[in-house]
Each structure stands twice: as structure tokens, then as C-alpha cells.
Amino acid sequence: MSITRQAETAKLTVSSPLFTQLNPQLGDSFAINGICLTVTAVVPGQLCVDVMPETTRLTNLGQLKKGDTVNLEPALGATERLDGHFVLGHVDTTAKLVQRVEDQNASVLTFKIAPEYDDYIVKKGSIAIDGVSLTVTQSEPYQFSVSLIPYTQNQTTLGKRQVGDLVNIETDVLGKYIVGAQRKEAIQ
């Protein structure tokens, strides 16, 4: 990956053998670290995306450096099989990895989250971390945990995350609707 920055904007160029199979086109949506971005240029084996200030402010893309590894996922076609939970690529915030503990064949990652997102995270609920769809294994005030199997550790950037790293968080869209409706009802 390479990155060109200007103030709070950026242009990312990502290389992957995946692009040869998927044949991305200008205007396609592609998730990079869980952030839905629009393809603005394509060369064999590479795609480019523009990052606007809002995205830089709300995600960990501002911390990426040339050569960093990222999670990639193409947009889901309407005719494809649905698996896991709905991940829209609309990142809500970032969270900081505060603990990593090995538990037999799993790694348990615990993250600290801003208080305003706490209502959206529940035990056994869904969450996307850097675009990886996961189940919340523990939820306490202002922090939550997930457990990673070896496959997830090896196939995503989460296996390399260290304490102190920031990750992109997309809370469960169903939780957003429920909490949002409850808040509107309370106002009325």
C-alpha cells in the first residue's frame, strides 16, 4: 500500500492479487480496513481510492504508512449469499486495543471505546473491527472483547494488532436502529 497525504485528505493505492480476480472498475465500492471507499483509479493488480477529511477524522486511515497491510473486501452483490452480519463499511469510530490474552487456540482482544458508542455494543452482538465481522464475547462499560480463531488471526490484520493500536469500529446496524428509535421515543 502507498499513501499520498494533503492536510486531512489522502489518496491510497493498494496492491493485491485479489484485484486480478475481481476486476474492480471505476466507481466500485471497496472496503479497506472496513471503510467503504470508492475506486477512483485502476491499474493491473492495484486500485486507488480518495479519502476525504471526514474519513480521516473518524478512522485509523490517518495512521497508515506506506507498506502497511490492510483488510480488503469487495462490495456484496445483491445476488450473493449472505453470511455473518451486515457490514456496511460505515465506520462509527475507532477503539484502542487495551489487552490481548491467549486462550488455548484463541486470542481474546479487549478494546476501549468512547462512552457514546457503549449502548451499541452488547455481549453476543455483532461488531466489525477493521471490517472483520465478529461476535462480542464480553461487554463492560466503555470496553468490549472479541475472540479470534487462528484462521481470523492469520487471514486478517487483527492477528498482528498490538496493545495501543487503533482499529476502526462499525457497530451493528440493527443496534443503531433500536437505540436510535428508543432515543427518539424518549424525546417525544
Side-chain angles (χ1 to χ4, degrees), residues 1 6 10 23 30 39 76-77 81-82 87 97 103 106-107 116 123 137 141 146 150 155-156 166 168-169 186:
M1 185 207 65
Q6 184 175 7
N23 193 26
F30 223 94
V39 175
L76 178 68
R81 178 177 171 259
L82 293 176
V87 177
L97 180 59
D103 183 13
S107 286
E116 60 265 31
K123 185 174 181 177
T137 57
V146 295
Q155 297 297 313
T156 71
L166 282 182
N168 297 318
I169 299 295

Side-chain angles (χ1 to χ4, degrees), residues 16-174:
S16 174
L18 179 67
F19 302 143
T20 305
Q21 300 167 358
L22 296 175
N23 193 26
Q25 303 294 310
L26 291 177
D28 283 356
S29 292
F30 223 94
I32 298 175
N33 275 1
I35 305 157
C36 182
L37 297 166
T38 302
V39 175
T40 57
V42 179
V43 295
Q46 294 183 328
L47 62 77
C48 296
V49 297
D50 290 327
V51 180
M52 63 181 145
E54 174 78 357
T55 305
T56 300
R57 290 181 199 126
L58 288 178
T59 71
N60 67 2
L61 286 187
Q63 296 181 344
L64 290 178
K65 301 177 297 302
K66 182 178 180 176
D68 281 351
T69 303
V70 293
N71 294 322
L72 299 170
E73 187 169 10
L76 178 68
T79 59
E80 295 179 51
R81 178 177 171 259
L82 293 176
D83 193 9
H85 80 278
F86 289 104
V87 177
L88 305 177
H90 302 166
V91 172
D92 297 302
T93 188
T94 57
K96 183 182 280 193
L97 180 59
V98 294
Q99 185 178 47
R100 184 182 190 107
V101 177
E102 300 309 311
D103 183 13
Q104 298 180 51
N105 73 335
S107 286
V108 179
L109 279 59
T110 302
F111 297 90
K112 182 176 176 62
I113 190 123
E116 60 265 31
Y117 297 98
D118 201 45
D119 289 345
Y120 301 101
I121 301 171
V122 296
K123 185 174 181 177
K124 301 304 177 197
S126 299
I127 195 158
I129 303 174
D130 279 352
V132 180
S133 173
L134 298 164
T135 301
V136 176
T137 57
Q138 291 295 324
S139 179
E140 298 175 16
Y142 319 125
Q143 71 177 30
F144 67 93
S145 298
V146 295
S147 189
L148 308 179
I149 62 172
Y151 181 85
T152 305
Q153 294 177 62
N154 294 328
Q155 297 297 313
T156 71
T157 59
L158 297 180
K160 296 179 181 101
R161 292 291 185 191
Q162 299 296 315
V163 170
D165 286 352
L166 282 182
V167 295
N168 297 318
I169 299 295
E170 179 181 335
T171 59
D172 189 347
V173 68
L174 298 176

